[in-house]
Every structure is written in structure tokens, then in C-alpha cells.
Amino acid sequence: MTTQTLEYRFHQGEETAFSEIHRRYAAPMFTTALALLGDRELAAEAVQQAFVQAWRGAGAFDPGRELKPWLYAIVRRAAIDVHRREHRAASHVPLDEAWEEDTRACGADPLEDVWYAWQVRKALAALHPDERLVVELAYFQGYSQSEISAALRIALGTVKSRTARAQRRLAGLLSHLRTQ
């Protein structure tokens, strides 16, 4: 069986071809993911995610091209996704805990903090839903503008203009807080 035949069978969605590809490429893909992530469990997760994505994209794969570079590109992207997810999860502290730590550390007035938080929530609720979404993704989820663009499937310029409009509106809606 030639590699081209295997690639064509994979392109056609043949399960035995997928099994053969998994047998051939799982270990080298794992090595790549491990080198990128430095953690065996995360690397295994990235490889699994990559194979799922490859199987879903088999119909779009061009059987006239080499399979190996295509698979490695998928596993690299999957490793990056796993890394980002883990980084966000590791840096996430529940708001209740963060608020309690902050108030104890600086002796802040909890009632005043609740009032400020309510004012911010009220201002966010007044934004257009598209503007509120980019603000929430950027400031509460830690997404970059490029990541927001990809996640929402909108142009980067649109993300930037929505963010700028939202910031201007929030500044106006929260201007009364600066005088206090």
C-alpha cells in the first residue's frame, strides 16, 4: 500500500486508513506535543484533540499532498490551544476569593466595593451586546484582540472599533465614579 493510497483513503473517510495513520503518526505527534507543552498528560490531550480535528477535516485534506506536515500543523495548533486553556485555568481565581483577599490586604470597605462593582455591572449592561461581548472576552476572559477576532469570526478591525466604542461608553457611564 503506498502512502498516496493511504492519504486518498483517509480523504475518503475510510476508518481503516485513519487507524493506519494513527498507528504511524501518534508517537511522533506525541513527541512534538510533549516538546511544546512539557507535560505528558497535556501532550496526550493535544494529540487526541489533533486526531479528532484531523478526522473531522479528512474530507478537506488534499490527498495529493503529504499527510505528515498537515498532521504536525494540527498537533501544533492543538498544543497551543491546550496550553492557552491550561494557562487561563491556572491563572483563574474565583472572584469571591480574589475580592476577599483584596479587602483583607488593603483594608478596603466591602460595602463600597460592592457599590463600585454594581456600578460597573450596570454600565456593562447598558452597552450594545456586541460591544459588551468584546469587553467581557478581553477583560474577564483574558483574550487578545486577535483571539477575539478568531473566536467571533469577525475582522480584527471590527474588534478594535467595538472595543474603542465600548471603552468610550463605559468612561462616560462611569465618569461619576472619578469624582468620589
Side-chain angles (χ1 to χ4, degrees):
M1 177 182 320
T2 66
T3 303
Q4 190 174 22
T5 303
L6 176 62
E7 292 167 350
Y8 180 77
R9 290 176 35 233
F10 173 70
H11 169 73
Q12 294 299 311
E14 190 178 306
E15 288 184 35
T16 56
F18 181 74
S19 296
E20 175 65 18
I21 288 167
H22 187 274
R23 187 188 64 72
R24 284 186 192 182
Y25 295 106
M29 288 171 67
F30 177 79
T31 301
T32 300
L34 183 59
L36 291 168
L37 294 165
D39 181 282
R40 296 183 74 75
E41 288 181 35
L42 295 178
E45 185 177 337
V47 171
Q48 180 179 1
Q49 182 178 325
F51 273 114
V52 168
Q53 291 172 0
W55 180 246
R56 287 180 181 158
F61 174 71
D62 177 2
R65 299 183 68 190
E66 285 189 59
L67 187 59
K68 186 177 178 179
W70 185 73
L71 289 172
Y72 283 120
I74 294 172
V75 79
R76 280 191 302 274
R77 285 192 308 269
I80 290 167
D81 289 345
V82 167
H83 172 74
R84 285 180 179 157
R85 188 195 68 236
E86 288 298 312
H87 179 69
R88 283 190 187 111
S91 65
H92 176 71
V93 176
L95 288 178
D96 294 346
E97 291 176 26
W99 179 72
E100 287 175 17
E101 286 178 26
D102 286 348
T103 56
R104 280 194 304 267
C106 65
D109 180 6
L111 187 56
E112 185 177 322
D113 288 344
V114 169
W115 185 80
Y116 281 122
W118 177 72
Q119 293 293 308
V120 171
R121 282 191 202 104
K122 188 172 141 184
L124 283 169
L127 293 177
H128 185 277
D130 291 338
E131 294 170 358
R132 183 173 50 250
L133 182 57
V134 295
V135 167
E136 288 173 348
L137 288 172
Y139 293 99
F140 299 119
Q141 300 296 322
Y143 281 64
S144 70
Q145 288 185 325
S146 297
E147 290 171 328
I148 294 169
S149 172
L152 299 180
R153 295 188 173 132
I154 58 176
L156 180 58
T158 304
V159 173
K160 291 179 178 188
S161 62
R162 286 180 186 175
T163 303
R165 269 195 315 272
Q167 289 172 334
R168 281 192 304 273
R169 288 215 47 217
L170 286 171
L173 292 167
L174 298 171
S175 63
H176 65 284
L177 297 178
R178 286 185 278 195
T179 60
Q180 296 186 5

